[in-house]
């Protein structure tokens, strides 16, 4: 049986070259890489302890000592933003991965087997998507309490429905291809067809969805932390930093401006990267 075009090495090489020629992908990838490096290397590059109080320097603006200023307790904002980004990206990575594993697997099974299984899983996706995402996350956290694990659970549950939809739609398209029919005719098992044939050729929409869900996860974590439902002070979280800085906007805007700008930068990077991946992985857009 011949290798499908979408899964061939030469086609992936063309996709990678198209990605490098895409301005949005390059800019978004650069921003994302810088943010990831800053978060991963926070213990090394942070100039101050993010929890260290320095009352004489509280609410100060950018200076040679504190590049991005300090908050109401004199804590260095650059250090706190680096650690806050580290926490946000950790929550985003685990919640997106959990949503992909659960939602992607359910969508894969629904699209391949169809019938009553497809009907049941599709109705589950409809129920999850029907609830406003942030309200569903707030309800989970109000019931379970704050903390890293509960925050991840709340956000990942929100992502299960969209991942089911994307995976199911991709599989429904792939399963009608001739090479799938040929595999069935040759006696390939369902497991082999799903993991060796269907999944590699349905991966492109899921890859794009993952990058876009990263942006949503960062925003969701920031919103929940802003409302006081995320990790609790004094540990730095970007959303809670924005919330704490509101009371001192007239004295020093840096306490809210700096973490708010970090959130915007992360979301912008993931969105641009997702748009670039979508254009590079779609053969019709790539040919243009």
């Amino acid at each position: 049986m011949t290798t499908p075009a979408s899964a061939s090495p030469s086609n992936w090489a063309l996709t990678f070259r198209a990605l490098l020629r895409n301005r949005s992908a390059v800019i978004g990838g650069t921003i994302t890489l810088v943010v990831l490096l800053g978060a991963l290397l926070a213990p090394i590059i942070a100039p101050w302890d993010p929890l260290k109080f320095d009352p004489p320097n509280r609410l100060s603006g950018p200076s040679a000592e504190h590049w991005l200023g300090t908050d109401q307790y004199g804590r260095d904002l650059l250090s706190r933003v680096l650690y806050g980004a580290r926490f946000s990206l950790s929550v985003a990575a685990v919640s997106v991965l959990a949503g992909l594993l659960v939602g992607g697997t359910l969508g894969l099974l629904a699209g391949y087997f169809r019938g009553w299984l497809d009907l049941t899983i599709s109705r589950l996706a409809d129920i999850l998507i029907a609830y406003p995402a942030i309200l569903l996350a707030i309800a989970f956290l109000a019931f379970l309490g704050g903390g890293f694990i509960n925050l991840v659970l709340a956000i990942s549950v929100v992502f299960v429905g969209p991942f089911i939809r994307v995976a199911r739609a991709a599989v429904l398209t792939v399963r009608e291809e001739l090479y799938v029919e040929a595999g069935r005719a040759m006696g390939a098992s369902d497991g082999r067809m799903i993991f060796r044939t269907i999944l590699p050729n349905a991966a492109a929409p899921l890859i794009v969805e993952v990058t876009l869900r990263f942006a949503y996860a960062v925003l969701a974590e920031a919103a929940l932390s802003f409302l006081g439902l995320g990790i609790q002070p004094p540990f730095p979280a970007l959303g809670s930093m924005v919330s704490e800085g509101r009371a001192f906007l007239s004295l020093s805007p840096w306490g809210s401006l700096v973490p708010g700008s970090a959130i915007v930068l992360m979301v912008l990077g993931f969105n641009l990267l997702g748009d670039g991946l979508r254009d590079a992985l779609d053969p019709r857009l790539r040919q243009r």
Side-chain angles (χ1 to χ4, degrees), residues 197-220:
T197 304
I198 299 289
L199 183 58
N201 291 280
L206 286 172
I207 293 172
V208 176
E209 186 70 12
V210 163
T211 58
L212 297 177
R213 289 293 154 186
F214 258 96
Y216 298 151
V218 169
L219 282 175

Side-chain angles (χ1 to χ4, degrees), residues 59-63 66-72 75-78 81 241-242 244-246 248-261:
L59 297 176
S60 64
S63 63
H66 299 282
W67 291 2
L68 297 181
T70 62
D71 65 4
Q72 67 273 23
R75 297 174 296 193
D76 183 68
L77 286 176
L78 175 58
V81 163
M241 290 173 64
V242 174
E244 291 172 357
R246 289 183 305 160
F248 306 96
L249 285 175
S250 59
L251 298 174
S252 176
W254 303 104
S256 291
L257 182 62
V258 170
S261 299

